[in-house]
Amino acid sequence: MTTLYHNPRCSKSRQTLQVLKDANEEVTIVEYLKEVPTIDELKKILKMLDIPARKLVRTNEAVWKENYKGKDLTEEQLIEAMINNPKLIERPIAIKNGKAVIGRPPENVLNL
């Protein structure tokens, strides 16, 4: 069973879901824009991805450019920014057996 943090409006997210379906993988979909992860959940995801929060931020989003760009934010502040503005969370994120990958490219999910 794979959990997919998914945005159905994102082509990469849709492609990643299709890769999982094509591999006959059972998928639990979390539409993270509607079901925003908690701070603790996001910290767990970052730990599974083994990356700092900054690497999970979508810096081309308008909300980033308008509110955060150029600021020296701590890890906690970056996590709070993503929780308060879930559009900033890079997508899609697939999780399985305590490991996580970002589906960029979508085939990355096959590494789980």
Side-chain angles (χ1 to χ4, degrees), residues 86-111:
K87 272 182 150 180
L88 293 177
I89 301 172
E90 184 60 85
R91 62 188 179 257
I93 301 168
I95 299 172
K96 183 177 181 178
N97 298 329
K99 296 180 182 174
V101 296
I102 297 172
R104 290 181 177 270
E107 295 75 22
N108 274 355
V109 298
L110 298 175
N111 295 328

Side-chain angles (χ1 to χ4, degrees), residues 67-86:
N67 299 297
Y68 304 103
K69 187 177 180 179
K71 294 183 179 178
D72 188 23
L73 302 174
T74 66
E75 191 81 355
E76 289 293 323
Q77 289 170 321
L78 288 164
I79 290 168
E80 284 182 31
M82 287 187 276
I83 296 301
N84 292 331
N85 305 280

